[in-house]
Amino acid sequence: MKIILAAIIAISLFSCGPKQQAQQAPPPPALPVAAVTTGNQTTYQEYPASIEGTVNVEVRPQVSGTLDKVFVDEGAFVAAGSPIFKINDQPYRAALNNALASLHAAEAAQGNAQIEVDKLTPLVANKVVSEYQLKTAKAAYQVAKANIESAKANVATAQINLGYTLIKAPVSGYIGRLLKKQGSLVSPQDVEALTQLSDVHDVHVYFSLGEKDFVNFKEQYPGETLKDKLKRVPSVGLLLADGTEYNKQGKIDVIDGQFDKNTGAITVRATFANPNGLLRSGNTGKVRLSMEHTNALIVPQSATVEMQDKVFVYALADSNKVKKLPITIIGTSGENYLVKDGIKAGDQIVLSGMDKLQEGSVIAPQKQADKAVAVAKN
């Protein structure tokens, strides 16, 4: 009986021991995937810009004196040739009168010298006086003639200086700040100009392209030379400081000859018509430059992850495993990235749930045909 009881106890203890439960692996996550598509897209890039009139002129005095009159107000539009300032002209009128008097005296001296020559000529012919006296008289006549030329030059200079007392607008445009007021003493040596005059019928808008952007810009358009490419560049837009878009399109017409060594950028100029004078020199804004992309690879931004300044997608590989691939982005269109390389058309990529994935993870792909169509149309 003891032996039988021991056997029963042993069997009971064995049956109550721990059981190893087989652990079943969790099913792979079901994630949406779609094929990468291509399409023709237009992207826009904006660059900070400064605006200048086609002509910006510093108005400075050419003679010294007291500013007697100011004919315009700040911000006024003036036509070319219109009076702007008047400098006291009395000293310059006196200088002109003095120069005219000197001219008249020189003309009288020439007359006397001519009379002397006319008197001595027959006397020398008749050998009444020596030829030396006639030569001396002729030399005196030449001196008198030269004095007349000098006097005429002095008169012309005095007339020019007198004309400089009335300062006129060299071009049509808008008056800037008037830094000198009526009664001020002005001089050509003044550090500050009297004012600035800007011709803003057309305006030049300057912006800069980095080396990479400049290379992409040149590759967009056909042509052997940069001049040929510029002819094919489409019109550009201008965003004003308040974010509104200027109602006229501009044309890129000039690219600087070299890059700035300090900034690594090259300056580009676009010209905009400004018939209503809305834009002024000194304004700022942004140039909006469009770029055409033919058969560009299109990837939703939501289907990408960014790590260490690189952008990745998870592409579906063999056996429903995913592979993390870096992509090169060339632009943005709406909610999509335009991709240069890293993937190809037709590749299946994961659209969401990337935070659950690692390289080589297995998923249950849920193909999203409607999503792929939407991506292609976006």
Side-chain angles (χ1 to χ4, degrees):
M1 291 296 293
K2 291 182 179 179
I3 296 173
I4 294 173
L5 182 61
I8 293 172
I9 293 173
I11 293 172
S12 299
L13 291 174
F14 179 80
S15 62
C16 294
K19 295 182 179 179
Q20 300 296 326
Q21 300 293 332
Q23 299 293 328
Q24 295 182 351
L31 297 177
V33 299
V36 175
T37 60
T38 61
N40 298 333
Q41 296 284 324
T42 301
T43 61
Y44 298 91
Q45 289 184 306
E46 297 174 359
Y47 300 92
S50 60
I51 300 172
E52 296 182 10
T54 52
V55 178
N56 289 318
V57 180
E58 285 189 341
V59 179
R60 292 181 175 272
Q62 299 296 307
V63 293
S64 300
T66 303
L67 202 59
D68 273 357
K69 293 182 179 179
V70 179
F71 296 104
V72 296
D73 199 359
E74 296 175 342
F77 178 84
V78 296
S82 301
I84 305 177
F85 302 101
K86 181 71 168 63
I87 296 174
N88 188 330
D89 63 358
Q90 291 182 356
Y92 299 99
R93 288 192 180 279
L96 176 60
N97 292 333
N98 187 42
L100 289 172
S102 298
L103 174 60
H104 297 328
E107 291 172 341
Q110 183 190 33
N112 289 333
Q114 183 65 56
I115 291 172
E116 187 68 17
V117 171
D118 293 342
K119 181 182 74 173
L120 293 175
T121 298
L123 296 177
V124 170
N126 295 323
K127 297 184 179 180
V128 176
V129 296
S130 67
E131 188 176 352
Y132 173 79
Q133 289 178 293
L134 179 59
K135 290 182 179 180
T136 301
K138 287 182 177 181
Y141 173 81
Q142 294 298 325
V143 171
K145 186 177 178 181
N147 288 339
I148 288 178
E149 297 300 324
S150 177
K152 287 181 178 179
N154 291 335
V155 170
T157 299
Q159 289 174 332
I160 291 172
N161 289 335
L162 180 61
Y164 282 151
T165 60
L166 182 62
I167 302 175
K168 300 179 180 180
V171 296
S172 297
Y174 291 90
I175 295 291
R177 288 189 58 197
L178 300 177
L179 301 178
K180 297 286 187 177
K181 307 301 182 183
Q182 186 173 343
S184 300
L185 185 64
V186 298
S187 168
Q189 286 74 41
D190 289 343
V191 176
E192 294 181 332
L194 294 175
T195 189
Q196 284 193 337
L197 186 61
S198 297
D199 179 1
V200 291
H201 181 71
D202 292 326
V203 294
H204 290 155
V205 179
Y206 294 92
F207 63 101
S208 297
L209 292 177
E211 291 187 52
K212 184 178 179 180
D213 285 346
F214 182 62
V215 171
N216 292 335
F217 174 79
K218 290 193 299 180
E219 290 179 348
Q220 289 289 314
Y221 310 105
E224 294 295 329
T225 65
L226 190 56
K227 185 177 181 180
D228 293 336
K229 292 177 180 290
L230 286 180
K231 294 178 181 178
R232 295 171 171 83
V233 176
S235 299
V236 297
L238 176 63
L239 297 179
L240 303 180
D242 61 355
T244 60
E245 186 170 2
Y246 183 55
N247 59 6
K248 294 187 179 297
Q249 294 287 298
K251 182 67 175 176
I252 294 178
D253 50 10
V254 172
I255 295 180
D256 200 353
Q258 59 185 8
F259 281 84
D260 188 300
K261 294 180 180 179
N262 296 322
T263 63
I266 194 167
T267 301
V268 182
R269 188 187 80 185
T271 300
F272 288 77
N274 187 36
N276 298 324
L278 177 64
L279 304 177
R280 300 293 180 92
S281 289
N283 279 155
T284 59
K286 292 181 179 180
V287 167
R288 175 177 284 175
L289 184 63
S290 64
M291 301 186 77
E292 301 293 334
H293 303 273
T294 304
N295 294 326
L297 296 169
I298 303 173
V299 171
Q301 295 184 33
S302 58
T304 64
V305 291
E306 187 172 349
M307 298 177 61
Q308 297 180 348
D309 298 330
K310 292 184 179 181
V311 178
F312 297 86
V313 295
Y314 282 95
L316 191 62
D318 295 336
S319 302
N320 290 337
K321 292 182 179 180
V322 295
K323 186 175 183 180
K324 187 167 68 173
L325 300 176
I327 58 175
T328 303
I329 297 171
I330 57 175
T332 303
S333 178
E335 296 180 352
N336 299 324
Y337 281 137
L338 304 184
V339 178
K340 181 179 181 181
D341 52 39
I343 54 175
K344 61 183 183 297
D347 284 351
Q348 299 285 332
I349 60 172
V350 180
L351 298 177
S352 63
M354 285 74 70
D355 55 330
K356 306 174 183 177
L357 298 179
Q358 294 180 352
E359 178 76 18
S361 297
V362 177
I363 68 170
Q366 304 294 312
K367 295 189 176 181
Q368 304 288 307
D370 293 340
K371 180 69 175 180
V373 171
V375 169
K377 290 182 177 180
N378 202 346

